[in-house]
Amino acid sequence: MTHSRNIPVRAPTPEAIAEAGALLRAGELVAIPTETVYGLAGDATDDRAVARIFAAKDRPSLNPLIVHVAEIAAARAIVRFDARAEALAARFWPGPLTLVLPRLEDCAVSLLAGAGLDSLALRMPDHPVARAVIAASGRPLAAPSANPSGRVSPTTAAHVAEALAGRIAMVLDGGPCRIGLESTVLDLTGPRAVLLRPGGLPKEAIEAVLGPLGEAGTDDSAPRGPGQLSSHYATALPLRLDATEASSDEALLAFGPDIPGGAAETRNLSPRGDLEEAAANLFASMRELDRPDFRAIAVMAIPETGLGRAINDRLRRAAAPREDPAKDSPPLAGSAALG
Ligand code: TXA
Ligand code: MG
């Protein structure tokens, strides 16, 4: 075992894999090799573990993450796996293809992992270490590329250890990534499959199975259900940000120990003012308060530090005036590209 600053970089022995599984079940983060790039993995069913992923990456936005499974049966337990998904999975899983599908109502995956959306991105990686760790953890694993936001995706364990020193529990060294490029992301939530991100699996290979794909953002032939019109989650009720009080016909999304009374209903994201806890509770709380019984949701100010920046980015997007639902919103000023 070698230590790069203070992250243990471990050879993928059966012992190290069992330990990684135990760390993940305990809510810790482990960087794992996949055939595309190294992933920063956490238990996808644990809101706090997922919040830790965003904190470790220092992402300026709570973007939806890819959930990794070791078996197709696990995918069928999480999302509505339609005939197209079955055909693609039979042909290309395990491999560098991520499928975005509607989440099942009773799906155990954290709302934060999907950034509050009604869909989830899933893939089965083609790397024996990745699959062994998923199996050892017994959980689906949320894993974005294991780089801090704004830096390139890591393809060796040394890159990961250098970039994320002190932020994660373990790096498993599976050697250099075979593909070295992220997975192809395909949206199957509409009637027409849409390529969202080109990646390790060529578009032509997918088209050989499904026929011609739509292009992200330009395809009008794919009307979506409500909640999937946009790449970010928005409440039906208007949000009133930076609230210092709330009226009796408003719901209050609170933060911290000192909160105003008077709201019709209140959810406190973190009574002790902890941003990781607030991120973990954000989407579930927004959904709980988003009921026609209230006129609006008053939202207290969240500090613009650490994960608070990512929480505020989501709140501002959710509060922004609604626009033409056929189009995705442009990035807000000051928000960076996906990490
Ligand atoms: O190769 C890969 O895919 C790597 C390895 C570690 O598996 N993972 C990776 O994850 O690149 P990440 O989080 O860096 O990229 C996730 C991509 C983003 O482009 C995101 O917008 C898209 O997937 N995505 C995730 N969930 C989505 C959803 N529900 N709807 C639309 N796009 C989604
Ligand atoms: Mg990435």
Side-chain angles (χ1 to χ4, degrees):
M1 178 166 94
T2 58
H3 281 76
S4 168
R5 288 186 271 165
N6 48 19
I7 308 191
V9 176
R10 304 280 299 271
T13 60
E15 295 73 32
I17 286 169
E19 225 174 284
L23 285 166
L24 288 160
R25 276 198 304 281
E28 302 281 336
L29 306 184
V30 175
I32 58 171
T34 83
E35 78 281 24
T36 58
V37 298
Y38 275 75
L40 175 52
D43 179 353
T45 67
D46 177 346
D47 285 312
R48 290 302 294 267
V50 176
R52 270 185 208 119
I53 294 175
F54 288 108
K57 280 186 66 97
D58 208 13
R59 268 200 178 172
S61 186
L62 303 175
N63 300 119
L65 305 178
I66 296 173
V67 175
H68 296 66
V69 295
E71 298 164 358
I72 295 185
R76 293 191 193 107
I78 293 172
V79 291
R80 202 168 328 122
F81 219 67
D82 65 13
R84 296 171 301 176
E86 293 287 355
L88 291 168
R91 178 80 184 76
F92 300 118
W93 279 10
L97 174 64
T98 293
L99 302 177
V100 177
L101 290 157
R103 56 189 288 155
L104 292 176
E105 197 93 20
D106 59 350
C107 138
V109 171
S110 150
L111 275 176
L112 182 60
L117 297 173
D118 295 329
S119 58
L120 275 174
L122 287 190
R123 87 177 188 97
M124 186 196 295
D126 184 20
H127 194 295
V129 175
R131 298 235 299 290
V133 173
I134 298 166
S137 74
R139 309 284 158 80
L141 298 180
S145 51
N147 52 292
S149 194
R151 297 181 54 182
V152 296
S153 299
T155 54
T156 68
H159 290 165
V160 180
E162 185 245 319
L164 294 175
R167 302 190 193 188
I168 62 178
M170 183 194 282
V171 181
L172 282 169
D173 188 350
C177 299
R178 179 166 57 81
I179 295 176
L181 179 73
E182 281 126 328
S183 63
T184 300
V185 180
L186 187 70
D187 182 355
L188 292 179
T189 58
R192 180 146 180 214
V194 176
L195 186 70
L196 296 181
R197 178 177 78 180
L201 184 71
K203 181 184 181 198
E204 291 73 17
I206 301 170
E207 290 185 324
V209 176
L210 292 188
L213 303 180
E215 291 287 334
T218 62
D219 185 51
D220 298 331
S221 70
R224 311 287 169 81
Q228 298 187 351
L229 294 169
S230 171
S231 61
H232 59 267
Y233 172 70
T235 51
L237 287 181
L239 297 188
R240 185 166 68 77
L241 301 185
D242 296 322
T244 53
E245 57 5 275
S247 55
S248 59
D249 58 355
E250 286 182 315
L252 176 67
L253 190 63
F255 176 81
D258 300 314
I259 70 172
E265 190 158 336
T266 298
R267 289 284 180 287
N268 196 333
L269 293 173
S270 174
R272 62 196 161 90
D274 178 87
L275 289 166
E276 212 171 87
E277 180 178 39
N281 290 328
L282 179 66
F283 293 109
S285 300
M286 284 168 84
R287 282 180 185 249
E288 282 163 15
L289 295 178
D290 192 19
R291 302 205 310 261
D293 331 23
F294 314 124
R295 180 174 54 82
I297 302 175
V299 184
M300 289 177 68
I302 310 283
E304 190 71 14
T305 56
L307 263 185
R309 289 181 304 133
I311 295 171
N312 283 325
D313 171 80
R314 283 293 124 171
L315 288 169
R316 283 186 209 110
R317 288 170 187 270
R322 305 297 144 82
E323 46 200 302
D324 179 352
K327 287 188 302 209
D328 269 351
S329 344
L332 292 184
S335 79
L338 300 189

Short mmCIF file of all heavy atoms in Angstrom, two decimals, residues 44-45 67 74-80 101-111 113-114 117-122 140:
data_model
loop_
_atom_site.label_atom_id
_atom_site.label_comp_id
_atom_site.label_asym_id
_atom_site.label_seq_id
_atom_site.Cartn_x
_atom_site.Cartn_y
_atom_site.Cartn_z
N ALA A 44 -25.36 5.26 -3.55
CA ALA A 44 -26.38 6.10 -4.23
C ALA A 44 -27.68 6.15 -3.45
O ALA A 44 -28.53 7.00 -3.74
CB ALA A 44 -26.63 5.57 -5.64
N THR A 45 -27.86 5.28 -2.46
CA THR A 45 -29.11 5.30 -1.69
C THR A 45 -28.98 6.16 -0.43
O THR A 45 -29.93 6.27 0.34
CB THR A 45 -29.55 3.87 -1.28
OG1 THR A 45 -28.60 3.34 -0.33
CG2 THR A 45 -29.63 2.95 -2.47
N VAL A 67 -25.45 6.54 -11.82
CA VAL A 67 -25.54 5.46 -10.84
C VAL A 67 -25.03 4.18 -11.50
O VAL A 67 -25.44 3.84 -12.61
CB VAL A 67 -27.00 5.30 -10.36
CG1 VAL A 67 -27.13 4.09 -9.45
CG2 VAL A 67 -27.47 6.57 -9.66
N ALA A 74 -30.45 -5.06 -11.08
CA ALA A 74 -30.37 -3.90 -10.17
C ALA A 74 -30.89 -2.66 -10.88
O ALA A 74 -31.57 -1.82 -10.27
CB ALA A 74 -28.93 -3.70 -9.70
N ALA A 75 -30.60 -2.54 -12.17
CA ALA A 75 -31.10 -1.39 -12.94
C ALA A 75 -32.62 -1.42 -13.02
O ALA A 75 -33.30 -0.40 -12.85
CB ALA A 75 -30.50 -1.39 -14.34
N ARG A 76 -33.17 -2.61 -13.23
CA ARG A 76 -34.64 -2.74 -13.34
C ARG A 76 -35.34 -2.40 -12.03
O ARG A 76 -36.53 -2.10 -12.03
CB ARG A 76 -35.02 -4.17 -13.75
CG ARG A 76 -34.58 -4.54 -15.16
CD ARG A 76 -35.23 -5.87 -15.57
NE ARG A 76 -34.61 -6.40 -16.77
CZ ARG A 76 -33.80 -7.47 -16.79
NH1 ARG A 76 -33.52 -8.14 -15.67
NH2 ARG A 76 -33.27 -7.88 -17.92
N ALA A 77 -34.61 -2.46 -10.91
CA ALA A 77 -35.21 -2.13 -9.61
C ALA A 77 -35.18 -0.63 -9.33
O ALA A 77 -35.75 -0.17 -8.35
CB ALA A 77 -34.47 -2.88 -8.50
N ILE A 78 -34.49 0.12 -10.19
CA ILE A 78 -34.28 1.55 -9.95
C ILE A 78 -35.07 2.42 -10.93
O ILE A 78 -35.64 3.44 -10.56
CB ILE A 78 -32.77 1.88 -10.06
CG1 ILE A 78 -32.00 1.21 -8.92
CG2 ILE A 78 -32.54 3.38 -10.05
CD1 ILE A 78 -30.49 1.32 -9.08
N VAL A 79 -35.08 2.01 -12.20
CA VAL A 79 -35.71 2.80 -13.26
C VAL A 79 -36.67 1.95 -14.07
O VAL A 79 -36.62 0.71 -14.00
CB VAL A 79 -34.65 3.40 -14.22
CG1 VAL A 79 -33.81 4.45 -13.52
CG2 VAL A 79 -33.80 2.30 -14.83
N ARG A 80 -37.55 2.61 -14.83
CA ARG A 80 -38.42 1.89 -15.75
C ARG A 80 -37.62 1.51 -16.99
O ARG A 80 -37.31 2.35 -17.83
CB ARG A 80 -39.65 2.74 -16.11
CG ARG A 80 -40.78 1.89 -16.59
CD ARG A 80 -42.12 2.65 -16.70
NE ARG A 80 -42.30 3.70 -15.73
CZ ARG A 80 -42.53 4.99 -16.03
NH1 ARG A 80 -42.60 5.39 -17.28
NH2 ARG A 80 -42.71 5.87 -15.06
N LEU A 101 -33.22 7.12 -17.73
CA LEU A 101 -34.56 6.50 -17.74
C LEU A 101 -35.39 7.05 -16.58
O LEU A 101 -34.83 7.53 -15.60
CB LEU A 101 -34.41 4.98 -17.60
CG LEU A 101 -33.80 4.27 -18.82
CD1 LEU A 101 -33.17 2.95 -18.44
CD2 LEU A 101 -34.88 4.07 -19.89
N PRO A 102 -36.73 6.93 -16.67
CA PRO A 102 -37.57 7.43 -15.57
C PRO A 102 -37.36 6.62 -14.29
O PRO A 102 -37.35 5.40 -14.33
CB PRO A 102 -39.00 7.22 -16.08
CG PRO A 102 -38.89 6.91 -17.53
CD PRO A 102 -37.53 6.38 -17.78
N ARG A 103 -37.17 7.31 -13.17
CA ARG A 103 -36.97 6.55 -11.93
C ARG A 103 -38.29 5.94 -11.48
O ARG A 103 -39.35 6.51 -11.69
CB ARG A 103 -36.30 7.38 -10.83
CG ARG A 103 -36.96 8.66 -10.45
CD ARG A 103 -36.06 9.48 -9.50
NE ARG A 103 -36.00 8.89 -8.17
CZ ARG A 103 -34.98 9.08 -7.31
NH1 ARG A 103 -33.95 9.85 -7.65
NH2 ARG A 103 -35.00 8.54 -6.14
N LEU A 104 -38.21 4.76 -10.89
CA LEU A 104 -39.40 4.13 -10.34
C LEU A 104 -39.82 4.89 -9.10
O LEU A 104 -38.98 5.42 -8.37
CB LEU A 104 -39.12 2.66 -10.00
CG LEU A 104 -38.87 1.72 -11.17
CD1 LEU A 104 -38.52 0.32 -10.67
CD2 LEU A 104 -40.07 1.67 -12.10
N GLU A 105 -41.13 4.92 -8.88
CA GLU A 105 -41.70 5.64 -7.74
C GLU A 105 -41.03 5.27 -6.42
O GLU A 105 -40.67 6.12 -5.62
CB GLU A 105 -43.20 5.31 -7.67
CG GLU A 105 -44.01 6.27 -6.84
CD GLU A 105 -44.61 7.38 -7.69
OE1 GLU A 105 -44.72 7.23 -8.92
OE2 GLU A 105 -44.95 8.40 -7.10
N ASP A 106 -40.84 3.96 -6.21
CA ASP A 106 -40.34 3.49 -4.92
C ASP A 106 -38.83 3.22 -4.96
O ASP A 106 -38.31 2.46 -4.15
CB ASP A 106 -41.08 2.22 -4.51
CG ASP A 106 -40.90 1.12 -5.56
OD1 ASP A 106 -40.37 1.42 -6.65
OD2 ASP A 106 -41.29 -0.04 -5.29
N CYS A 107 -38.16 3.85 -5.92
CA CYS A 107 -36.74 3.59 -6.10
C CYS A 107 -35.94 4.10 -4.89
O CYS A 107 -36.22 5.17 -4.35
CB CYS A 107 -36.34 4.25 -7.41
SG CYS A 107 -34.84 5.13 -7.49
N ALA A 108 -34.95 3.32 -4.47
CA ALA A 108 -34.22 3.63 -3.23
C ALA A 108 -33.13 4.68 -3.43
O ALA A 108 -32.52 5.14 -2.47
CB ALA A 108 -33.59 2.36 -2.67
N VAL A 109 -32.87 5.07 -4.68
CA VAL A 109 -31.77 5.99 -4.94
C VAL A 109 -32.10 7.39 -4.42
O VAL A 109 -33.22 7.89 -4.56
CB VAL A 109 -31.43 6.03 -6.45
CG1 VAL A 109 -30.45 7.14 -6.77
CG2 VAL A 109 -30.87 4.68 -6.88
N SER A 110 -31.11 8.02 -3.81
CA SER A 110 -31.21 9.38 -3.28
C SER A 110 -31.72 10.36 -4.33
O SER A 110 -31.27 10.32 -5.49
CB SER A 110 -29.80 9.79 -2.83
OG SER A 110 -29.59 11.16 -2.94
N LEU A 111 -32.62 11.25 -3.92
CA LEU A 111 -33.08 12.29 -4.86
C LEU A 111 -31.92 13.20 -5.23
O LEU A 111 -31.84 13.72 -6.34
CB LEU A 111 -34.19 13.13 -4.22
CG LEU A 111 -35.61 12.61 -4.31
CD1 LEU A 111 -36.55 13.52 -3.53
CD2 LEU A 111 -36.06 12.52 -5.77
N ALA A 113 -28.85 12.35 -5.77
CA ALA A 113 -28.04 11.72 -6.83
C ALA A 113 -28.58 12.10 -8.20
O ALA A 113 -27.82 12.27 -9.15
CB ALA A 113 -28.01 10.21 -6.67
N GLY A 114 -29.91 12.22 -8.33
CA GLY A 114 -30.52 12.61 -9.59
C GLY A 114 -30.83 14.09 -9.65
O GLY A 114 -31.58 14.53 -10.52
N LEU A 117 -34.40 15.28 -10.23
CA LEU A 117 -35.13 14.98 -11.46
C LEU A 117 -35.94 13.70 -11.32
O LEU A 117 -35.71 12.89 -10.43
CB LEU A 117 -34.15 14.83 -12.63
CG LEU A 117 -33.34 16.07 -12.99
CD1 LEU A 117 -32.29 15.73 -14.04
CD2 LEU A 117 -34.26 17.17 -13.50
N ASP A 118 -36.89 13.51 -12.24
CA ASP A 118 -37.69 12.29 -12.27
C ASP A 118 -36.98 11.17 -13.01
O ASP A 118 -37.49 10.06 -13.14
CB ASP A 118 -39.03 12.54 -12.97
CG ASP A 118 -39.88 13.53 -12.20
OD1 ASP A 118 -39.76 13.55 -10.96
OD2 ASP A 118 -40.64 14.28 -12.84
N SER A 119 -35.79 11.46 -13.54
CA SER A 119 -35.03 10.45 -14.28
C SER A 119 -33.71 10.17 -13.57
O SER A 119 -33.28 10.95 -12.71
CB SER A 119 -34.75 10.95 -15.70
OG SER A 119 -34.03 12.17 -15.63
N LEU A 120 -33.08 9.06 -13.94
CA LEU A 120 -31.76 8.73 -13.39
C LEU A 120 -30.89 8.18 -14.52
O LEU A 120 -31.39 7.50 -15.42
CB LEU A 120 -31.87 7.64 -12.33
CG LEU A 120 -32.18 8.07 -10.90
CD1 LEU A 120 -32.38 6.83 -10.03
CD2 LEU A 120 -31.06 8.94 -10.32
N ALA A 121 -29.61 8.49 -14.45
CA ALA A 121 -28.64 7.97 -15.41
C ALA A 121 -27.98 6.73 -14.81
O ALA A 121 -27.50 6.76 -13.68
CB ALA A 121 -27.58 9.03 -15.69
N LEU A 122 -27.97 5.64 -15.56
CA LEU A 122 -27.45 4.36 -15.06
C LEU A 122 -26.46 3.76 -16.02
O LEU A 122 -26.63 3.86 -17.24
CB LEU A 122 -28.57 3.33 -14.96
CG LEU A 122 -29.63 3.41 -13.90
CD1 LEU A 122 -30.42 2.12 -13.93
CD2 LEU A 122 -29.03 3.62 -12.53
N PRO A 140 -26.26 0.25 -5.24
CA PRO A 140 -25.90 0.98 -6.45
C PRO A 140 -24.98 2.13 -6.04
O PRO A 140 -25.16 2.71 -4.96
CB PRO A 140 -27.24 1.51 -6.96
CG PRO A 140 -28.17 1.49 -5.79
CD PRO A 140 -27.66 0.45 -4.83
#
